[in-house]
Amino acid sequence: MKNLSPRDLVFTVTGSLSFMLLLVLYGLTRIAGLQLPFWVVLGLPLVNFVTGYFLLSFLLEKFIYRRVKVVYKTINNLKAPKNATQMPLRINEDILSNVEREVVDWTKRQTQEIEKLKSSDSYRKEFIGNVSHELKTPIFNIQGYIHTLIDGGLYDEKINKSYLYKASQNLDRLSAIVEDLETISQLETNALSLDIRKFDFVKLMKEVFENLEMQADLKDISLLFKEDSPKTINVMADRERVRQVLTNLTSNSIKYGKQQGTTSVGIYDMHDNVLIEITDDGIGMAEEHLPRLFERFYRVDKSRARDQGGTGLGLSIVKHIVEAHHQTINVRSTVGVGSTFGFTLKKA
Ligand code: ADP
């Protein structure tokens, strides 16, 4: 009964009514003794069936199905591309079930879409709040130093140079934030196309170590390759973007590394991919921070990270770049022991 098509329903209703009419007419002739000709007893229910069937079908079509069709077509138009062929609807199809299914599906999809939009909207609001907060600090600092200098500090030998130096440091910070934001926005809008080429990963890693040598020397940190690392290994990737990943990860390992510590790089051949692990023996992080670590502006220890000159965007950029290569990145860490960031690249 549940999956009866409308045409079946009309057939059943008019059929039952006609059968009842036949029984009544038969009863009248047999029991009540009414003299009715045979063709009337059979003909009337037949005429009733045929006219009832067409009349009910017509009314159903006119007053219910045409309206249901409009709903069905609207939903179909909303979800199907313009050139997609429409499914024609006929009264003898079980459109009510179709429509019910389509409406439920459609509602589910719309609810998901709305949830997605809501969450991206709150993400956007949070992001704008974060950006203005991050920009405010160096701007206020610069304002403070410059105003003090204008108000006479310029002639005070004790502060004039150091204030100018501090103002310029804050300007550097401002410019680093803006640069990182620009990179993120390019990565997110896919405006930045990757220049995938074959190159020797070990050579690139050595270049990154050389560039960060001075930063490492300040904390007496050694930058090393793990003993069993290959002397050369070719990968397919965007060399400059991978350089950025390695620079951010190695620079973090120094920033959050301990005095006289070690940063080591392990390179592992894994069939199709190469796994790269950058390990430090620095301050490490508690487990609870790890799932959110790659979010924009997420910092474990806010004041410490800012003191280190971080923008809070480094790891977010790293993740974007790795994912743009269709590869993955992960992190393991223990407080007081150190951290390991591992990511993969396609082997050439
Ligand atoms: P930042 O510019 O603040 O360094 P990142 O996005 O590079 O921003 O890193 C986010 C946060 O993750 C840092 O503020 C720091 O708290 C933590 N972090 C990153 N790398 C390490 C590491 N190697 N050891 C300990 N903590 C780290």
Side-chain angles (χ1 to χ4, degrees):
M1 267 313 255
K2 202 175 164 218
N3 287 327
L4 221 57
S5 82
R7 184 138 283 182
D8 293 342
L9 192 72
V10 172
F11 186 88
T12 314
V13 170
T14 44
S16 315
L17 285 174
S18 305
F19 185 66
M20 269 152 57
L21 183 64
L22 180 73
L23 285 182
V24 170
L25 291 176
Y26 184 74
L28 285 176
T29 49
R30 280 281 158 155
I31 301 157
L34 206 70
Q35 291 296 310
L36 284 175
F38 179 68
W39 63 267
V40 173
V41 177
L42 267 187
L44 262 185
L46 196 68
V47 170
N48 175 66
F49 174 74
V50 175
T51 48
Y53 181 79
F54 285 109
L55 193 69
L56 259 181
S57 298
F58 171 76
L59 292 176
L60 211 61
E61 168 89 30
K62 187 165 170 57
F63 294 105
I64 299 179
Y65 277 81
R66 281 191 193 160
R67 284 166 202 194
V68 173
K69 264 190 225 177
V70 174
V71 176
Y72 186 83
K73 278 183 180 165
T74 313
I75 289 172
N76 252 308
N77 281 342
L78 280 175
K79 62 173 205 163
K82 283 224 156 35
N83 51 3
T85 44
Q86 286 271 326
M87 213 200 304
L89 286 176
R90 293 269 163 273
I91 190 170
N92 53 350
E93 285 170 14
D94 186 8
I95 10 172
L96 283 181
S97 301
N98 278 351
V99 169
E100 186 186 342
R101 201 184 53 239
E102 296 280 343
V103 169
V104 170
D105 277 2
W106 182 75
T107 316
K108 245 190 238 163
R109 271 195 306 276
Q110 294 306 309
T111 315
Q112 281 170 355
E113 190 74 8
I114 290 168
E115 286 307 317
K116 221 166 84 185
L117 288 174
K118 270 189 194 162
S119 90
S120 79
D121 185 48
S122 71
Y123 188 57
R124 186 185 58 81
K125 281 183 192 149
E126 193 186 323
F127 180 60
I128 292 174
N130 282 336
V131 171
S132 48
H133 178 76
E134 293 296 327
L135 296 179
K136 227 161 49 188
T137 319
I139 289 174
F140 281 175
N141 289 345
I142 295 164
Q143 266 179 334
Y145 293 127
I146 302 283
H147 284 157
T148 316
L149 288 171
I150 291 172
D151 294 343
L154 198 58
Y155 305 103
D156 184 345
E157 291 291 325
K158 275 185 272 164
I159 58 160
N160 57 6
K161 271 205 181 134
S162 79
Y163 274 26
L164 273 176
Y165 175 70
K166 283 177 182 161
S168 99
Q169 266 189 327
N170 277 282
L171 274 171
D172 288 347
R173 181 166 164 65
L174 209 55
S175 127
I177 295 174
V178 173
E179 227 170 83
D180 278 358
L181 281 172
E182 204 182 348
T183 310
I184 285 200
S185 111
Q186 281 176 334
L187 286 164
E188 284 189 349
T189 53
N190 290 328
L192 192 128
S193 56
L194 295 177
D195 181 15
I196 305 282
R197 283 162 201 258
K198 177 175 151 182
F199 65 89
D200 177 13
F201 178 79
V202 180
K203 190 159 175 262
L204 176 67
M205 193 69 239
K206 281 182 186 158
E207 285 174 24
V208 172
F209 273 175
E210 271 165 28
N211 288 337
L212 292 171
E213 219 166 59
M214 255 169 53
Q215 193 187 333
D217 282 349
L218 290 177
K219 283 176 96 172
D220 211 359
I221 287 178
S222 320
L223 306 175
L224 311 166
F225 281 93
K226 288 236 162 80
E227 263 176 27
D228 47 1
S229 294
K231 297 279 167 283
T232 166
I233 190 157
N234 285 328
V235 293
M236 287 298 285
D238 184 323
R239 197 171 193 274
E240 284 319 298
R241 292 288 145 198
V242 174
R243 180 197 295 278
Q244 200 166 0
V245 169
L246 296 174
T247 304
N248 288 2
L249 293 180
T250 312
S251 159
N252 276 354
S253 77
I254 300 169
K255 280 194 301 193
Y256 308 107
K258 66 172 185 207
Q259 204 74 29
Q260 294 178 327
T262 305
T263 292
S264 56
V265 173
I267 302 165
Y268 307 95
D269 192 333
M270 325 255 297
H271 288 294
D272 293 342
N273 293 330
V274 178
L275 169 68
I276 296 118
E277 288 197 333
I278 299 187
T279 305
D280 65 64
D281 50 4
I283 59 172
M285 292 163 276
E287 184 80 31
E288 79 228 36
H289 296 292
L290 304 186
R292 299 196 57 194
L293 206 61
F294 296 96
E295 285 177 18
R296 295 182 276 196
F297 297 119
Y298 188 81
R299 293 181 178 104
V300 174
D301 179 344
K302 291 191 175 24
S303 59
R304 179 175 191 144
R306 284 209 188 90
D307 288 347
Q308 298 288 340
T311 60
L313 295 167
L315 287 181
S316 169
I317 292 176
V318 164
K319 188 164 192 268
H320 271 299
I321 295 175
V322 172
E323 286 180 352
H325 282 83
H326 305 293
Q327 300 292 332
T328 53
I329 180 155
N330 62 66
V331 55
R332 309 189 292 275
S333 191
T334 311
V335 176
V337 177
S339 315
T340 295
F341 287 84
F343 68 98
T344 50
L345 286 179
K346 185 133 197 66
K347 206 165 86 180

